[in-house]
Amino acid sequence: MTETLSRLLLRLSEAGDPAILWGRQAARHAGHDFERLLDRGVLIEQAPATEWDVCSACDCGLDSRPVQQVNGRDVAVCPMDRRSDFVLSDDELRSFRICLPALVREIAAASGFGDEPSPVAACVWHLGQALNQRALFLALSADAVFQPGMIGLMLSVARSSAVTVIAPAMTAGDLARLVDAGLHFIGVSDCISCDGDAPGFAIDQAKLQLRPSSAPRLVIRRTARTVSLDGMPKTLSDQEFQLLVFLSEHALKSPAIVENRVIEAHIWGANIHKIASQVREPVRALRDALALGSRDATAARALIENRRSPNGYRLALPPEEIQLIE
Ligand SMILES: [Zn+2]
């Protein structure tokens, strides 16, 4: 199957700026859609090439060879061997720069995000709120997602909303970093409807739903008072159970931290004597209980994450990884 123009442009954009579409690739896609992208400034034609790659096994030592007019034709001239001269068609000399902000504007408009997408950093845009109420970001290159501080920046732009990132396919290790930070990832090619009858740039919001097939990591049954983490049953005291349920309820609503005083009031009631901040002790016990029997005890302990200013804790799992059953 021939690659559609929209998929080709998205693939070329993965290299970041400048992303170039060569005339020979473009020629296959000549037509109304192509002209429209030129009109919209998504594709910007560049001056015809004046240099060309050297022959594949050449001793000329040049980085590139000049394009010269020979008998009215454009020829990439080999200084070593005339037989290696290469006659170029007009299409081959053409090239188009893909204007990444304009491409993202096209995607946002086609997907019903009316407002101008706001750039968050190089190659990363905030599109707005998706139908599932998550803050939606689009990164044209996977590397862009892992620029220093990028994950924190997206979380802060999202304010208290959960975050979905649309980006090109990434390694399992990188994916784990996103999941650990509570972000949901979906591949560009999995949700932008480039193929099919109406190739275009629209994001299919139905594809943004979280994968229902994978089991949530944390399953809590309130009535039965059972907890399992990564399929492993955990034994919790009443207080540990109560604390975990409380943090889970919060994590299902927002990734924000729960302040110590709020946790204390929940565990001991608002009217207790003002003993010094004691929430640390039940948290330690809960971490121990979660870590016991876990393959990665450190990671299990880190699920109850503490933060400063304001001092508090949160359950470091995205909502889709938590199942709270009555
Ligand atoms: Zn040569």
Side-chain angles (χ1 to χ4, degrees):
M1 197 174 86
T2 329
E3 192 175 35
T4 60
L5 178 57
S6 33
R7 193 171 289 294
L8 172 63
L9 296 185
L10 285 167
R11 181 167 61 77
L12 293 172
S13 300
E14 289 179 23
D17 228 355
I20 303 296
L21 172 69
W22 284 96
R24 204 166 46 165
Q25 299 171 292
R28 254 177 277 146
H29 298 285
H32 175 260
D33 288 344
F34 193 87
E35 295 303 320
R36 196 175 141 275
L37 292 175
L38 278 173
D39 288 346
R40 308 263 300 176
V42 175
L43 292 172
I44 300 163
E45 179 147 21
Q46 314 210 96
T50 55
E51 295 181 328
W52 204 251
D53 291 344
V54 294
C55 347
S56 47
C58 198
D59 298 321
C60 66
L62 297 176
D63 291 332
S64 60
R65 49 179 162 166
V67 174
Q68 290 172 1
Q69 285 269 323
V70 178
N71 299 331
R73 297 188 300 179
D74 292 298
V75 180
V77 176
C78 174
M80 304 294 287
D81 182 356
R82 288 294 312 272
R83 285 171 300 175
S84 297
D85 284 359
F86 185 61
V87 177
L88 296 159
S89 69
D90 288 348
D91 276 340
E92 281 167 318
L93 289 171
R94 296 178 85 187
S95 64
F96 304 85
R97 190 166 66 81
I98 304 169
C99 174
L100 303 183
L103 175 63
V104 172
R105 250 191 328 266
E106 204 67 20
I107 293 169
S111 314
F113 293 100
D115 296 340
E116 184 88 347
S118 40
V120 179
C123 285
V124 181
W125 286 263
H126 177 220
L127 297 180
Q129 203 84 359
L131 294 176
N132 60 10
Q133 301 307 313
R134 297 175 72 96
L136 191 58
F137 292 83
L138 172 64
L140 291 178
S141 80
D143 287 348
V145 179
F146 298 101
Q147 302 173 72
M150 192 62 230
I151 291 175
L153 190 53
M154 287 191 283
L155 290 170
S156 89
V157 168
R159 294 166 185 273
S160 57
S161 298
V163 170
T164 293
V165 184
I166 300 174
M170 56 182 69
T171 65
D174 282 345
L175 188 54
R177 285 169 66 190
L178 285 189
V179 171
D180 287 349
L183 280 64
H184 175 231
F185 161 81
I186 181 144
V188 165
S189 52
D190 294 328
C191 67
I192 299 185
S193 51
C194 295
D195 303 324
D197 295 337
F201 290 109
I203 295 167
D204 182 352
Q205 295 229 22
K207 301 275 173 63
L208 300 183
Q209 297 311 320
L210 308 170
R211 302 154 296 146
S213 53
S214 73
R217 293 188 57 194
L218 179 67
V219 179
I220 303 171
R221 289 186 167 77
R222 277 183 207 259
T223 314
R225 287 192 72 303
T226 62
V227 172
S228 80
L229 177 63
D230 298 325
M232 177 99 52
K234 301 289 172 184
T235 309
L236 269 58
S237 73
D238 283 345
Q239 192 177 68
E240 292 153 18
F241 186 82
Q242 189 190 0
L243 176 57
L244 182 62
V245 168
F246 189 58
L247 292 176
S248 299
E249 287 170 339
H250 276 267
L252 286 168
K253 283 181 282 187
S254 114
I257 45 175
V258 190
E259 286 185 51
N260 284 347
R261 55 179 180 79
V262 177
I263 299 174
E264 286 161 14
H266 179 77
I267 297 179
W268 293 295
N271 301 324
I272 50 151
H273 306 297
K274 197 65 197 163
I275 40 177
S277 183
Q278 294 292 344
V279 73
R280 212 181 302 144
E281 188 50 33
V283 165
R284 191 191 55 75
L286 174 57
R287 282 174 169 162
D288 287 346
L290 293 176
L292 194 65
S294 284
R295 203 176 306 155
D296 185 344
T298 310
R301 299 179 67 86
L303 288 178
I304 311 299
E305 183 184 15
N306 62 320
R307 292 280 188 90
R308 301 197 163 274
S309 58
N311 285 329
Y313 294 87
R314 66 174 196 127
L315 177 62
L317 280 176
E320 64 271 24
E321 297 289 6
I322 305 167
Q323 194 176 16
L324 192 55
I325 305 167
E326 272 315 306

